[in-house]
Amino acid sequence: MTEIAPNTSVLDDVVSAFQIEGLPVRGRVVRLGAAVDEVLTRHAYPDPVANLLGEACALAALVGSSLKFDGRLIIQAQGDGPVRYVVVDYDTSGGLRGYCRFDPDEVAKASEGFARPGAKTLLGGGVFIMTLDQGPDMDRYQGVTPIEGETLALCAEQYFQQSEQTPTRIRLAVGQVDTGEGSQWRAGGILIQVIAGDAARGDTQDAWTHVQALFETTGEDELIDPTVSTPTLLWRLFNEDGVRLLDEKPLRAFCRCSEDRIGVVMDSFSAQEVEEMIEPDGKIHVTCEYCSRVYKLDPPKDQAPAA
């Protein structure tokens, strides 16, 4: 454990757990710099779509970093709005990847008059889903709730309340910041949860009400400001009660796509389908939806075009 010092230097692309001293409230803070910038700039997303995906990246890191097994957390939301689908895949080694499917014209129309259209505006009616993947030998666990509220943070709060009966508060922020090397995307988030009362702790409601009041003072600008470190942020919020920084986990942009994985997918297509995929250069071009990497594969020998 590390005691909070307000002047600790900034460390990006890390998610940090913390505990408020003497109170049954724990939490996590995420700061994303180069990792989220890489995820968002791989595609030519309009700003509202990039904001939505950036929020999903920060949320996946906040929730996924608490997992006690080696595996993955997949956060997705899908609806009938301008953004059909947003998904972020977090693995417990700290890798993040994500993408959105959207209609550019519908996004532009939905953005008229809005500084930043939120999740409900962009996704419309639909569902918010969290999936826990513990590996090929274990069943996946999936929780589904309706999309309600204008942010993914509100969707996640509702998920925790309905699926896990855990009172949770979340705040997320995304924006472009000039770091001296041009404008770059940044994202941040903070999550707090109350530990249920028991015979030893007694009723925890008063403590939860107190911490929520402090949490409400969190500014979105603080969450993405490169000059405000995680310890400084926590000290600003909770120094009167005392707060301890616990474990920290590094984060990075990482995609699991590979030529071997693409090859396995290609094996599922019929000979006719494979033939229709062959481009004029004699290769099959496959683009990863997550990282936009283009693979140029040789078709099976019996499908190769005649010389």
Side-chain angles (χ1 to χ4, degrees):
M1 296 185 185
T2 303
E3 291 188 0
I4 295 299
N7 60 349
T8 304
S9 61
V10 175
L11 180 61
D12 276 340
D13 297 328
V14 68
V15 57
S16 309
F18 65 89
Q19 174 73 49
I20 299 177
E21 296 280 27
L23 296 178
V25 179
R26 60 196 175 193
R28 290 181 292 281
V29 175
V30 63
R31 304 294 297 263
L32 289 167
V36 77
D37 187 65
E38 183 175 340
V39 171
L40 299 185
T41 54
R42 284 170 173 169
H43 304 267
Y45 290 125
D47 283 355
V49 178
N51 276 305
L52 183 66
L53 182 54
E55 284 189 355
C57 287
L59 178 61
L62 284 173
V63 178
S65 60
S66 68
L67 299 181
K68 306 303 182 185
F69 58 83
D70 291 333
R72 300 159 58 202
L73 168 72
I74 302 165
I75 287 183
Q76 63 193 81
Q78 56 195 56
D80 57 8
V83 176
R84 309 293 195 255
Y85 192 81
V86 56
V87 59
V88 172
D89 184 335
Y90 167 92
D91 69 56
T92 48
S93 71
L96 280 169
R97 63 177 186 165
Y99 74 93
C100 289
R101 290 179 183 170
F102 63 97
D103 184 297
D105 294 334
E106 291 184 23
V107 168
K109 184 176 181 180
S111 302
E112 294 176 356
F114 287 89
R116 182 188 296 179
K120 184 66 175 178
T121 299
L122 291 172
L123 290 161
V127 291
F128 174 83
I129 305 167
M130 285 195 192
T131 304
L132 299 178
D133 183 352
Q134 301 182 61
D137 299 326
M138 301 287 288
D139 292 335
R140 284 186 170 190
Y141 169 79
Q142 189 171 84
V144 182
T145 58
I147 294 173
E148 294 184 2
E150 272 300 303
T151 68
L152 288 182
L154 291 173
C155 292
E157 289 178 2
Q158 180 187 24
Y159 168 88
F160 279 108
Q161 185 61 46
Q162 293 187 2
S163 298
E164 300 187 16
Q165 289 76 55
T166 303
T168 303
R169 296 298 310 279
I170 299 170
R171 182 155 294 175
L172 306 170
V174 181
Q176 291 178 290
V177 176
D178 189 346
T179 61
E181 299 179 357
S183 182
Q184 295 183 337
W185 286 100
R186 294 181 60 82
I190 182 170
L191 173 153
I192 56 172
Q193 293 180 316
V194 65
I195 302 170
D198 55 23
R201 295 189 188 93
D203 186 10
T204 59
Q205 184 57 49
D206 286 347
W208 181 233
T209 299
H210 168 69
V211 173
Q212 285 189 88
L214 299 175
F215 174 86
E216 290 293 344
T217 67
T218 308
E220 290 190 7
D221 57 332
E222 293 178 294
L223 292 172
I224 61 173
D225 188 335
T227 68
V228 178
S229 68
T230 292
T232 296
L233 175 63
L234 293 176
W235 186 84
R236 287 178 178 178
L237 292 173
F238 307 119
N239 69 87
E240 291 185 3
D241 295 301
V243 58
R244 284 186 176 271
L245 195 62
L246 307 177
D247 61 300
E248 297 183 331
K249 295 184 178 181
L251 303 166
R252 70 194 190 286
F254 175 72
C255 190
R256 287 189 300 277
C257 70
S258 68
E259 191 165 319
D260 288 342
R261 287 177 180 266
I262 299 295
V264 171
V265 174
M266 294 302 301
D267 288 341
S268 66
F269 292 102
S270 67
Q272 181 177 349
E273 289 172 323
V274 171
E275 184 176 0
E276 292 173 352
M277 296 178 191
I278 299 175
E279 301 287 345
D281 63 359
K283 304 279 188 178
I284 297 173
H285 297 187
V286 180
T287 302
C288 175
E289 289 185 301
Y290 283 97
C291 68
S292 296
R293 179 179 174 183
V294 179
Y295 292 87
K296 297 183 179 181
L297 309 177
D298 291 319
K301 292 183 179 179
D302 57 349
Q303 295 294 318

